[in-house]
């Protein structure tokens, strides 16, 4: 189906104003379909004009405009033409819709733990017409009045407070004006924990089988929720306006979470059923604060078109870290986690050919806009806001934000609107700053000449811009910080006398406080010192910057990946920051070892990780985050078959993990990937954990087996079984490339470029983007794979999501090829 273009959206927005939406959904019609009735009241600026309504049904039963039937046979590509509009109009639609299995529209999932069904709406980015007829674009906002019929045992939640009016019948309070993509309904036998704060009713909900975990985890989640409300109310001086505030943890969710006003949806793995590490709880806390920030940035004021996505995501990204740091137990840990988890993601996006500006990206249609929900719009956008604050001051920034929100409340805003308020609040012309930081792609490289005290800024040739940087430089020797100097760059070379006068240091770290967005290049002396010195650096933020610099260096071909492995072996056992501890393992095992190192070296490198983890586990406080991360790492990497079989059987597991099903699956996957576990062990483990997560883990373990037969089965399930859900496809794709000799895997490199793009016939772009990334043959690090990839990109039948996934994954493949060519 064609995607809505920006030009079409402008034309329709100039013509129409939507005054009210009434939606009636009947979810008690079986497991495949539901009935949708919609009444749209809207005005038309040019009576007699024509437009179209968006609707993507199984069957469009009727469409009535101002009392006159519209020929439903005119439905084509999700649109029906509406002619002869009046100044004021009422459109009524009745349709049969299909539940989805790909996480878009109205998704329906079955929990195998108890056989219960759960439904949730995820209308982002353009899935609204799969649930009800609408004018589906972000600048045609309207109040919504929603009614729902559901099985009597179900609870119904949505954007407005839900009231049960009769058995199986619910009415949701009419909302403030919402964009279509914010509307949601969640229905099923959800378990709930309810509370109240500052006059706002609160609810946290999850599947009934997660009730015990939900009740255990809810107090911490509610604590973060309360703290975030207080912080935002105090900061902006604008109260949350959407009534009740529900947080619903739903199955098989594509994103981390979605900011539906009054009813935020989250992936339900955030309701930790087993042992959670401190950085995992921090990640969840950050997500809670991020989605709440959207109540102001996105929900009260919505971007006019998707090219101003940053007005939503960059702000929520920045505000969540700021809020968690300022108002929760995590303090500065939040910014360290931002460096390790978020900025590393953003820098990776900057290295790809698909890099784009923070703001003002073309986004000619909605499908193209979906591709910009990446580390640039989130992490880089947040970093630019920190630089804006350094440029104009925090007081001016907050004053400008508050004025912007009040001026555009319940409407839409643009980059020009926002920057106008920043200029007014600061009394500063921000035109040049905006062009350099927001409207120009690329990342600058920062290097130091400490002898002369000169900071060099190298601008990418493809994206020249004069970006000023404000950051700090710190030196470390023998476990002490020997100096820290503030820097503001002017042009490509900035002399900083304090740097030249600074004492000599073993390790010198530019941007040590991670205040700017730049590729940090360590000098040769510092690189040589990193394996021995990094563990001694007392500042976790600086250690995080060094780790990200090493990752960048490996990817850019300036640092031998073996340096990172050696640094891990020496420094990681002494690391005490949970985010650094966990994220470095993920980076090393997820990408550095399996792609940058030759196949023959990978097992030895993995055992460096295993030995380091075993050493940490032996010394860590039992049950601590440090112990849990170490135990999981041993379970993932160890080649000790006896240990793994004991842990798989539940024998002598580390403290706190005795009954942890997720830990058990890590062990089973390791055994499976080594060819030491057959389907009998996988099936026995699944029978003991017959839950949604257990079944996904079983699929991943089965796909991880290295035999040719196992790979053939997994590939067939991934690319031909149309009954598989979005999460099942992800599990199969992840497991497939986890093991296997090159000769077994190589044929699937070619098959990827035919089989995966074809899945767009039954998998939506939002879900397929993830599948296409996970299934890409990145482990077949050969020039032939890159040639196949380049040839595929010459085709004209790829969806935008698949094309973007291939472009980015190919870029990463080429990084690995370049590294191997340079370092052997």
């Amino acid at each position: 189906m064609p995607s809505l273009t920006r030009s079409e959206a402008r034309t329709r927005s100039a013509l129409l104003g939507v005054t009210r939406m009434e939606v009636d959904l009947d979810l008690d019609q079986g497991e495949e379909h539901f009935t949708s009735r919609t009444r749209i009241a809207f005005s038309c600026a040019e009576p007699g004009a024509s437009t179209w309504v968006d609707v993507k049904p199984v069957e469009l039963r009727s469409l009535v405009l101002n009392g006159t039937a519209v020929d439903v046979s005119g439905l084509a590509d999700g649109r029906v033409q509406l002619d002869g509009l009046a100044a004021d109009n009422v459109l009524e639609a009745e349709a049969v819709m299909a539940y989805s299995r790909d996480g878009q529209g109205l998704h329906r999932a079955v929990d195998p733990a108890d056989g219960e069904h759960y439904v949730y709406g995820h209308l982002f980015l353009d899935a609204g017409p799969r649930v009800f007829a609408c004018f589906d674009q972000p600048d045609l906002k309207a109040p919504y009045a929603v009614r729902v019929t559901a099985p009597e045992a179900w609870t119904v939640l949505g954007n407005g407070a839900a009231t049960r009016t009769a058995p199986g019948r619910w009415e949701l309070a009419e909302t403030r004006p919402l964009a279509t993509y914010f509307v949601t309904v969640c229905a099923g036998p959800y378990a709930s924990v309810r509370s109240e704060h500052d006059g706002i009713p609160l609810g946290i909900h999850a599947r009934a089988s997660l009730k015990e975990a939900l009740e255990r985890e809810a107090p911490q989640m509610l604590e973060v929720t309360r703290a975030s409300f207080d912080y935002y109310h105090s900061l902006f001086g604008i109260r949350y306006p959407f009534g009740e505030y529900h947080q619903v943890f739903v199955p098989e969710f594509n994103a981390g979470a979605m900011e539906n006003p009054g009813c935020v949806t989250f992936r339900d793995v955030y309701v930790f059923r087993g042992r959670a590490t401190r950085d995992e709880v921090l990640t969840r806390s950050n997500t809670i604060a991020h989605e709440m920030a959207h109540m102001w940035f996105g929900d009260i004021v919505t971007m006019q078109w998707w090219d101003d996505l940053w007005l939503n995501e960059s702000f929520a990204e920045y505000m969540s870290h700021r809020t968690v740091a300022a108002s929760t137990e995590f303090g500065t840990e939040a910014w360290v986690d931002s460096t390790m988890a978020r900025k590393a993601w953003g820098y990776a996006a900057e290295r790809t050919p698909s890099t784009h500006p923070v703001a003002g990206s073309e986004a000619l249609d909605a499908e193209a806009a979906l591709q910009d929900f990446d580390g640039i719009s989130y992490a880089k956008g947040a970093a630019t806001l920190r630089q804006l604050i350094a440029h104009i001051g925090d007081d001016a920034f907050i004053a400008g934000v508050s004025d912007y929100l009040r001026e555009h409340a319940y409407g839409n805003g643009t980059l020009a609107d926002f920057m106008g308020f920043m200029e007014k609040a600061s009394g500063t012309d921000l035109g040049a700053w905006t062009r350099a930081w927001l409207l120009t792609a690329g990342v600058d490289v920062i290097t130091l000449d400490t002898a002369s005290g000169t900071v060099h800024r190298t601008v990418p040739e493809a994206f020249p811009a004069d970006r000023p940087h404000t950051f700090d430089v710190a030196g470390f020797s023998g476990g002490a910080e020997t100096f820290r100097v503030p820097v503001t760059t002017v042009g490509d070379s900035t002399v900083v006398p304090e740097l030249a006068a600074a004492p000599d240091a073993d390790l010198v770290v530019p941007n040590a406080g991670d205040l700017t967005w730049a590729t940090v290049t360590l000098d040769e002396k510092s690189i040589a010192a990193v394996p021995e010195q990094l563990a001694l650096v007392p500042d976790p933020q600086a250690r995080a910057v060094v780790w990200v610099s090493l990752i960048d260096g490996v990817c850019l071909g300036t640092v031998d990946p073996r340096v990172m492995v050696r640094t891990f072996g020496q420094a990681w056992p002494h690391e005490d920051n949970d985010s650094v501890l966990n994220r470095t393992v993920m980076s090393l095992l997820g990408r550095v070892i399996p792609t940058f190192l030759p196949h023959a070296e990978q097992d030895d490198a993995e055992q460096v990780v295993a030995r380091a983890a075993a050493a940490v586990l032996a010394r860590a406080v039992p049950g601590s985050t440090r112990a849990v991360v170490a135990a999981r790492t041993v379970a993932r990497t160890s080649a000790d078959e006896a240990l793994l079989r004991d842990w798989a059987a539940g024998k002598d597991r580390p403290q706190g993990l005795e009954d942890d099903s997720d830990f058990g699956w890590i062990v089973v996957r390791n055994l499976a990937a080594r060819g030491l576990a057959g389907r009998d062990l996988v099936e026995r483990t699944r029978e003991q954990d017959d839950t949604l997560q257990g079944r996904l883990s079983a699929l991943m373990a089965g796909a991880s087996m290295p035999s040719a037969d196992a790979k053939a089965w997994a590939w067939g399930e991934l690319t031909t079984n149309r009954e598989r859900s979005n999460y099942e496809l992800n599990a199969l794709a992840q497991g497939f490339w986890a093991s296997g000799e090159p000769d077994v895997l190589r044929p699937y490199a070619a098959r990827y470029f035919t089989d995966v793009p074809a899945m767009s016939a039954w998998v939506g772009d939002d879900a397929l983007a993830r599948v296409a990334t996970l299934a890409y043959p990145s482990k077949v690090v050969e020039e032939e794979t890159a040639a196949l990839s380049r040839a595929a990109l010459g085709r004209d039948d790829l969806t935008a999501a698949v094309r973007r996934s291939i472009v980015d994954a190919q870029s990463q493949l080429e990084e690995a090829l370049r590294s191997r060519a340079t370092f052997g």
Side-chain angles (χ1 to χ4, degrees):
M1 292 183 180
S3 182
L4 178 71
T5 69
R6 178 168 55 185
S7 175
E8 289 176 322
R10 285 174 175 168
T11 299
R12 189 163 62 171
S13 179
L15 184 67
L16 305 183
V18 185
T19 53
R20 193 167 191 265
M21 293 284 295
E22 297 178 25
V23 178
D24 194 318
L25 304 176
D26 189 343
L27 310 183
D28 200 13
Q29 299 288 309
E31 299 178 12
E32 301 296 325
H33 301 130
F34 61 96
T35 302
S36 171
R37 298 177 181 85
T38 312
R39 185 178 189 274
I40 309 173
F42 66 101
S43 62
C44 175
E46 300 175 16
S50 299
T51 190
W52 75 93
V53 66
D54 302 297
V55 60
K56 300 176 182 178
V58 173
E59 176 193 357
L60 183 55
R61 288 178 172 171
S62 67
L63 198 62
V64 178
L65 176 63
N66 298 329
T68 301
V70 177
D71 185 0
V72 297
S73 67
L75 174 65
D77 294 328
R79 298 179 177 185
V80 180
Q81 182 80 6
L82 303 176
D83 296 321
L85 298 178
D88 295 297
N89 303 270
V90 173
L91 179 67
E92 297 173 291
E94 180 176 347
V96 177
M97 303 289 193
Y99 292 112
S100 78
R101 293 285 284 144
D102 63 3
Q104 296 173 246
L106 207 57
H107 183 94
R108 186 169 182 137
V110 183
D111 187 348
D114 53 17
E116 295 286 2
H117 289 240
Y118 294 86
V119 168
Y120 65 86
H122 185 54
L123 276 54
F124 172 86
L125 176 143
D126 58 357
R130 293 171 60 170
V131 180
F132 50 80
C134 57
F135 300 115
D136 190 30
Q137 58 191 74
D139 59 347
L140 286 177
K141 300 172 74 170
Y144 278 76
V146 178
R147 295 179 294 276
V148 179
T149 301
E152 288 188 27
W154 286 14
T155 295
V156 172
L157 301 159
N159 304 99
T163 302
R164 190 197 304 263
T165 58
R169 188 66 175 162
W170 297 76
E171 288 190 5
L172 308 184
E174 186 167 329
T175 69
R176 297 276 196 165
L178 305 180
T180 47
Y181 77 97
F182 287 141
V183 179
T184 192
V185 167
C186 300
Y190 284 100
S192 301
V193 174
R194 296 178 184 269
S195 185
E196 185 175 326
H197 178 67
D198 194 17
I200 304 167
L202 307 176
I204 299 182
H205 316 269
R207 288 178 284 126
S209 65
L210 291 173
K211 183 175 186 292
E212 181 180 345
L214 178 73
E215 292 176 346
R216 181 182 66 245
E217 299 291 322
Q220 192 275 338
M221 291 190 277
L222 287 169
E223 181 181 345
V224 174
T225 301
R226 296 183 186 105
S228 298
F229 267 128
D230 289 346
Y231 189 76
Y232 292 138
H233 285 159
S234 173
L235 200 63
F236 305 136
I238 302 171
R239 281 189 59 81
Y240 167 75
F242 296 108
E244 298 184 355
Y245 193 74
H246 296 279
Q247 298 174 93
V248 190
F249 293 81
V250 299
E252 301 176 341
F253 197 66
N254 281 330
M258 179 65 200
E259 65 268 23
N260 314 301
C263 189
V264 180
T265 42
F266 298 79
R267 57 173 56 202
D268 63 7
V269 294
Y270 280 139
V271 181
F272 306 120
R273 61 181 194 154
R275 180 71 170 82
T277 62
R278 182 173 172 83
D279 70 292
E280 288 170 334
V281 178
L282 169 54
T283 296
R284 182 180 67 192
S285 300
N286 186 73
T287 305
I288 288 171
H290 178 110
E291 302 310 320
M292 189 184 293
H294 274 307
M295 299 299 124
W296 287 264
F297 298 103
D299 296 2
I300 291 180
V301 182
T302 307
M303 61 201 166
Q304 187 165 307
W305 179 246
W306 302 106
D307 54 354
D308 277 325
L309 163 70
W310 80 290
L311 288 170
N312 287 15
E313 298 303 345
S314 299
F315 281 90
E317 180 82 4
Y318 167 71
M319 290 307 309
S320 62
H321 296 298
R322 175 173 175 154
T323 302
V324 171
S327 63
T328 76
E329 64 178 292
F330 295 103
T332 56
E333 291 174 76
W335 289 114
V336 176
D337 189 70
S338 169
T339 300
M340 294 301 304
R342 309 298 285 180
K343 292 188 79 171
W345 170 46
Y347 289 140
E350 283 275 49
R351 293 193 299 268
T352 69
S354 61
T355 186
H356 57 86
V358 171
S361 189
E362 285 190 341
L364 296 180
D365 61 30
E367 189 178 58
L370 180 62
Q371 313 319 311
D372 287 343
F373 282 77
D374 59 14
I376 294 171
S377 296
Y378 286 73
K380 182 180 181 179
T384 63
L385 291 177
R386 295 189 84 179
Q387 285 296 293
L388 176 61
I389 291 168
H391 193 61
I392 67 173
D394 192 61
D395 289 346
F397 174 74
I398 295 302
V401 165
S402 299
D403 289 345
Y404 165 78
L405 292 172
R406 288 189 179 90
E407 179 69 23
H408 293 279
Y410 311 112
N412 300 83
T414 66
L415 167 66
D417 294 330
F418 179 80
M419 295 310 298
F421 281 98
M422 291 295 106
E423 291 185 335
K424 181 179 178 182
S426 65
T428 304
D429 183 344
L430 295 172
W433 189 95
T434 300
R435 288 189 296 275
W437 273 110
L438 298 179
L439 298 177
T440 307
V443 57
D444 297 340
V445 178
I446 299 295
T447 56
L448 302 181
D449 180 349
T450 51
S452 66
T454 304
V455 177
H456 297 288
R457 181 199 66 182
T458 304
V459 176
E461 291 183 9
F463 307 106
D466 184 13
R467 280 180 281 263
H469 294 266
T470 298
F471 58 93
D472 55 3
V473 178
F476 302 92
S477 293
E481 181 177 310
T482 58
F483 70 84
R484 188 173 293 252
V485 175
V487 173
T488 297
T489 64
V490 180
D492 292 337
S493 294
T494 304
V495 177
V496 183
E498 295 87 348
L499 271 179
D504 189 42
D506 295 326
L507 179 60
V508 178
V509 184
N511 196 28
D514 203 15
L515 301 176
T516 195
W517 181 264
T519 297
V520 170
T521 302
L522 302 179
D523 59 63
E524 290 186 9
K525 178 183 176 183
S526 294
I527 285 285
V530 159
E532 289 75 26
Q533 291 293 320
L534 183 55
L536 303 177
V537 171
D539 178 8
Q541 183 66 76
R543 295 197 303 273
V545 169
V546 172
W547 276 114
V548 172
S549 175
L550 287 177
I551 295 168
D552 268 349
V554 169
C555 295
L556 291 168
T558 60
V559 174
D560 189 331
R562 296 163 188 85
V563 170
M564 189 169 172
V565 174
R566 187 164 67 251
T567 301
F568 184 93
Q570 294 180 241
W572 190 82
H574 306 284
E575 182 57 59
D576 62 5
N577 179 272
D578 298 325
S579 295
V580 176
L581 196 73
N582 211 355
R583 297 291 175 170
T584 48
V585 173
M586 293 168 64
S587 177
L588 206 65
L589 296 180
R591 186 163 181 229
V592 173
I593 290 175
T595 63
F596 286 93
L597 290 179
H599 184 72
E601 295 183 35
Q602 291 174 11
D603 283 345
D604 287 344
E606 198 168 271
Q607 291 318 298
V608 170
V609 177
R611 288 191 295 273
V616 171
L617 181 59
R619 297 195 302 266
V621 176
S624 65
T625 284
R626 190 172 168 77
V628 171
V629 172
R632 289 175 180 171
T633 305
V634 172
R636 185 175 175 184
T637 58
S638 177
D640 185 339
E641 183 177 354
L643 173 69
L644 294 174
R645 289 199 180 280
D646 281 349
W647 281 1
K651 297 178 183 177
D652 300 323
R653 288 184 180 179
Q655 182 177 318
L657 299 171
E658 295 89 347
D659 300 314
D660 192 311
S661 298
D662 295 327
F663 178 76
W665 279 115
I666 296 173
V667 178
V668 170
R669 284 198 298 273
N670 188 2
L671 286 167
R674 294 179 183 278
L676 301 175
R679 294 197 178 277
D680 55 342
L681 175 60
V682 173
E683 183 59 21
R684 286 200 308 273
T685 308
R686 186 203 59 75
E687 288 174 353
Q688 296 165 4
D689 182 26
D690 195 17
T691 62
L692 273 173
Q693 192 58 44
R695 292 192 179 188
L696 293 171
S697 296
L699 283 175
M700 193 184 304
S704 297
M705 295 177 185
S707 70
D709 287 346
K711 296 305 180 189
W713 167 82
W715 195 258
E717 287 297 303
L718 171 66
T719 60
T720 65
N721 188 342
R722 298 191 176 202
E723 299 303 312
R724 292 293 185 191
S725 73
N726 51 337
Y727 269 39
E728 289 172 334
L729 297 175
N730 292 343
L732 288 162
Q734 282 182 281
F736 185 88
W737 297 107
S739 69
E741 291 298 315
D743 287 347
V744 173
L745 296 177
R746 192 172 291 113
Y748 293 97
R751 291 186 61 178
Y752 168 91
F753 297 103
T754 56
D755 296 354
V756 171
M759 294 169 65
S760 63
W762 68 93
V763 181
D765 260 17
D766 198 14
L768 189 55
R770 179 69 171 156
V771 175
T773 297
L774 292 171
Y776 187 88
S778 58
K779 305 300 172 59
V780 186
V781 185
E782 298 171 355
E783 181 55 42
E784 291 78 2
T785 307
L788 287 166
S789 191
R790 287 190 287 268
L793 290 173
R795 293 158 43 182
D796 60 7
D797 63 336
L798 301 180
T799 67
V802 172
R803 180 175 297 279
R804 171 66 181 269
S805 296
I806 292 175
V807 166
D808 290 352
Q810 177 186 304
S811 176
Q812 293 188 346
L813 173 67
E814 290 169 344
E815 289 176 346
L817 286 167
R818 180 176 61 241
S819 176
R820 291 191 184 190
T822 302
F823 299 109

